[in-house]
Amino acid sequence: MKLGLVDYFLDEFHANNYPAWIAEQSGGEITAAYAYAMADSPKGGMTTDQWCGHHGIQKLDTIEELCEKSDGIIVLSPDHPEKHEELCRLPMQSGKRVYVDKTFAPAKEIAERIFALGDAHGTPCYSASALRFVPEYRELAGAQIENIGSRGPGPLEGYSIHQIEPVVALMGADIARVQFTGTEKYPAYICEYSDGRRATMSHHGWGYPFSIAADFSDGTAKAVTVQSDLFAQFIKELVDFFRTGEVKVPHEDTIAVIAVREAAIKAAKKPGAWMAL
């Protein structure tokens, strides 16, 4: 199976690693064969031609040609979700299996448009944070969770998805409003569900591990810290998606994640005020 990679620019962490990880996980059955980039790296890294030569992947000049030749498609641009709607337009009309890298979209309205286009053309697709699939968080699933305290590193704009998505996976997508309680340097926010349950997320410095403390309806609690390889289970799920077409994350979950992220960014400008989704 030959995959096509679509990116804003290719010399970035995900594009540099996904091809080898996918080939290894699939036993060589699934390989990245084609690539398209909107631009050369603005960070002074390899050009598109250099990147393709280094990775042994064929450069294509249009997304249209990539969609025609590929058996499945990965839309990357992980740090520039504002490019996703444009980059996804043709892949979502292809009818082929499409994975869209995190963060799926900068706003709920855009997320809904991208999925609607894919659904209209029968295109199996999903997006996810790798944190959704880590075994430490999966072991919390299956019980009624009333409260979560989540912590992790990184800025709100780029890393909030890694805290929001596990919460949505564990507690559900029905988050009603968000309140910002942190600072510009150390963002923190409360997500309140329509039934009153809450999850609190806080962002810390680099090197701080991802962790969750969960309170269950039976009065028990459990705390877990992610120590496993963040990408191992994610790549396993991704390979299975391209093999089977089984969508790994409901669209409703991803739309909720993007809505919460959007609300948290807006709420950061009005600390203490509730921001409805």
Side-chain angles (χ1 to χ4, degrees), residues 40-60:
D40 291 331
S41 172
K43 300 179 180 181
M46 286 187 284
T47 65
T48 301
D49 287 326
Q50 290 170 337
W51 187 93
C52 289
H54 177 75
H55 289 273
I57 293 174
Q58 183 181 351
K59 173 191 171 184
L60 298 179

Side-chain angles (χ1 to χ4, degrees), residues 163-232:
Q163 295 196 55
I164 300 168
E165 180 144 4
V167 166
V168 168
L170 292 168
M171 296 182 69
D174 190 25
I175 296 171
R177 59 181 187 166
V178 174
Q179 182 188 69
F180 189 85
T181 59
T183 65
E184 182 177 356
K185 186 174 182 180
Y186 299 112
Y189 40 99
I190 301 166
C191 297
E192 185 174 87
Y193 282 79
S194 56
D195 61 5
R197 292 177 299 140
R198 287 188 173 186
T200 301
M201 290 81 151
S202 59
H203 292 249
H204 302 270
W206 297 112
Y208 195 96
F210 288 102
S211 64
I212 278 180
D215 295 293
F216 302 100
S217 58
D218 63 3
T220 62
K222 188 171 185 178
V224 295
T225 298
V226 176
Q227 297 176 320
S228 59
D229 182 338
L230 294 182
F231 287 99

Side-chain angles (χ1 to χ4, degrees), residues 115 119 132 168 172-174 249-259:
F115 278 137
D119 290 346
R132 185 185 185 98
V168 168
D174 190 25
V249 181
H251 293 353
E252 294 77 12
D253 278 18
T254 302
I255 290 169
V257 170
I258 298 307

Side-chain angles (χ1 to χ4, degrees), residues 10-225:
L10 284 161
D11 191 9
E12 45 88 4
F13 181 81
H14 289 194
N16 287 337
N17 288 283
Y18 282 8
W21 290 343
I22 290 169
E24 181 180 1
Q25 177 62 43
S26 69
E29 175 191 346
I30 303 174
T31 59
Y34 311 109
Y36 165 87
M38 186 181 291
D40 291 331
S41 172
K43 300 179 180 181
M46 286 187 284
T47 65
T48 301
D49 287 326
Q50 290 170 337
W51 187 93
C52 289
H54 177 75
H55 289 273
I57 293 174
Q58 183 181 351
K59 173 191 171 184
L60 298 179
D61 293 325
T62 67
I63 299 177
E64 182 177 19
E65 184 182 7
L66 182 140
C67 290
E68 290 173 355
K69 290 185 173 182
S70 302
D71 300 310
I73 301 162
I74 297 177
V75 178
L76 292 156
S77 191
D79 296 322
H80 295 275
E82 72 278 2
K83 303 292 185 181
H84 277 168
E85 187 168 25
E86 181 179 356
L87 294 173
C88 283
R89 186 174 61 83
L90 290 176
M92 286 299 179
Q93 297 179 68
S94 70
K96 298 178 181 180
R97 295 163 191 174
V98 177
Y99 171 75
V100 182
D101 217 345
K102 71 86 186 170
T103 299
F104 183 64
K108 178 184 178 183
E109 179 183 1
I110 296 173
E112 291 174 332
R113 285 203 302 263
I114 295 172
F115 278 137
L117 183 62
D119 290 346
H121 290 85
T123 299
C125 59
Y126 79 101
S127 181
S129 159
L131 272 292
R132 185 185 185 98
F133 304 111
V134 294
E136 292 89 349
Y137 287 175
R138 279 186 158 178
E139 70 180 59
L140 299 174
Q144 178 69 20
I145 298 176
E146 292 190 346
N147 178 68
I148 273 181
S150 171
R151 293 182 177 182
L156 191 155
E157 288 82 359
Y159 275 69
S160 57
I161 185 174
H162 297 315
Q163 295 196 55
I164 300 168
E165 180 144 4
V167 166
V168 168
L170 292 168
M171 296 182 69
D174 190 25
I175 296 171
R177 59 181 187 166
V178 174
Q179 182 188 69
F180 189 85
T181 59
T183 65
E184 182 177 356
K185 186 174 182 180
Y186 299 112
Y189 40 99
I190 301 166
C191 297
E192 185 174 87
Y193 282 79
S194 56
D195 61 5
R197 292 177 299 140
R198 287 188 173 186
T200 301
M201 290 81 151
S202 59
H203 292 249
H204 302 270
W206 297 112
Y208 195 96
F210 288 102
S211 64
I212 278 180
D215 295 293
F216 302 100
S217 58
D218 63 3
T220 62
K222 188 171 185 178
V224 295
T225 298

